[in-house]
């Protein structure tokens, strides 16, 4: 699961995939590993490839995990991540709420809830949920970035810029923060500043 927390770093999804597949080879009924594999597939779906084949794999693995053990928080989380919030928002949110009921302080459940609101373009709800989550996990860069993206989609560029700059300072090895900061600078017409931010990120993470 640690590799999933660092999913944006090169090789971490491959590492997680190998780990979960090894566990399932030895124990085909391991619900946690099936759910973890589903989450890997969902992250791959959201990567640059955007290959919808990953959604089918994510859903299949999530359903397998639920059938094996529906009382683990990670199983409804995996299911929620595999769904399309545009078309299946209510189902995804019900799964997230089940996970939070099972484990109220589960970071991945909170991240998934914020992400679901954001993808569904419910930006006010995204910000409100992110604020609640950040009270529990004040240093989580993903939730903070998702909040910034919500503000960016509302054209509140200066607020979003402040959030992304804060993430770059606190978590300089997270490339997503540089990408979002460059994007919001470009939206403000500050192209040179955006290029400088991207170059800064590439110097820290040339891979």
């Amino acid at each position: 699961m640690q590799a999933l927390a660092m999913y944006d770093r090169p090789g971490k999804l491959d590492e997680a995939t190998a780990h979960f597949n090894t566990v399932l080879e030895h124990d085909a009924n391991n619900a946690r590993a099936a759910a973890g594999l589903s989450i890997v597939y969902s992250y791959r779906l959201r990567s640059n490839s955007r290959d919808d084949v990953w959604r089918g794999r994510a859903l299949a693995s999530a359903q397998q995990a639920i059938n094996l053990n529906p009382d683990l928080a990670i199983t409804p989380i995996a299911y929620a991540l595999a769904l399309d919030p545009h078309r299946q928002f209510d189902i995804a949110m019900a799964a997230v709420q089940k996970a939070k009921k099972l484990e109220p302080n589960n970071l991945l459940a909170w991240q998934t809830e914020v992400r679901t609101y954001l993808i569904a373009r419910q930006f006010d709800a995204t910000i409100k949920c992110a604020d609640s989550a950040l009270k529990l996990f004040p240093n989580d860069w993903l939730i903070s970035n998702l909040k910034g993206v919500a503000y960016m989609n509302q054209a509140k560029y200066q607020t979003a810029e402040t959030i992304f700059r804060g993430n770059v300072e606190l978590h300089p090895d997270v490339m997503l923060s540089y990408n979002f900061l460059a994007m919001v600078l470009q939206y403000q017409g500050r192209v040179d500043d955006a290029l400088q931010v991207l170059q800064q990120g590439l110097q820290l993470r040339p891979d």
Side-chain angles (χ1 to χ4, degrees), residues 180-199:
F180 287 138
L181 178 56
M183 191 181 301
V184 80
L185 290 171
Q186 190 171 8
Y187 286 158
Q188 296 176 81
R190 296 156 62 187
V191 177
D192 290 342
D193 290 343
L195 289 173
Q196 185 177 2
V197 166
L198 288 175
Q199 289 170 355

Side-chain angles (χ1 to χ4, degrees), residues 20-184:
F20 293 132
N21 277 326
T22 299
V23 172
L24 289 169
E25 285 174 6
H26 291 87
D27 179 10
N29 294 321
N30 191 304
R32 190 176 296 275
L37 196 58
S38 172
I39 293 170
V40 170
Y41 293 150
S42 290
Y43 285 168
R44 289 196 185 281
L45 174 68
R46 291 168 174 81
S47 71
N48 293 331
S49 63
R50 299 271 177 189
D51 188 343
D52 208 48
V53 169
W54 294 117
R55 188 183 301 282
R57 293 182 180 181
L59 281 169
S61 292
Q63 193 61 61
Q64 178 189 4
I66 289 171
N67 291 338
L68 289 170
N69 190 342
D71 296 324
L72 288 175
I74 195 173
T75 55
I77 291 171
Y79 184 56
L81 281 170
L83 296 172
D84 180 357
H86 292 291
R87 295 181 296 130
Q88 301 164 305
F89 175 81
D90 291 339
I91 301 173
M93 197 54 67
V96 169
Q97 296 308 319
K98 179 178 180 180
K100 288 176 65 180
K101 185 175 181 180
L102 290 167
E103 292 186 24
N105 293 331
N106 186 296
L107 172 59
L108 189 54
W110 281 94
Q111 290 174 339
T112 303
E113 183 175 20
V114 176
R115 187 197 300 269
T116 301
Y117 279 125
L118 180 62
I119 297 175
R121 301 188 66 79
Q122 297 189 27
F123 301 128
D124 287 338
T126 302
I127 294 165
K128 182 178 179 180
C129 184
D131 284 339
S132 296
L134 289 169
K135 291 177 182 177
L136 296 172
F137 313 102
N139 296 318
D140 187 72
W141 61 264
L142 178 57
I143 292 172
S144 183
N145 272 337
L146 295 174
K147 178 182 176 181
V149 173
Y151 277 120
M152 186 164 60
N153 276 277
Q154 293 179 324
K156 297 177 181 178
Y157 299 134
Q158 292 183 342
T159 302
E161 179 184 344
T162 299
I163 291 172
F164 298 142
R165 284 196 183 279
N167 279 337
V168 165
E169 292 175 6
L170 289 173
H171 309 281
D173 58 339
V174 177
M175 192 63 196
L176 278 176
S177 301
Y178 294 91
N179 292 341
F180 287 138
L181 178 56
M183 191 181 301
V184 80

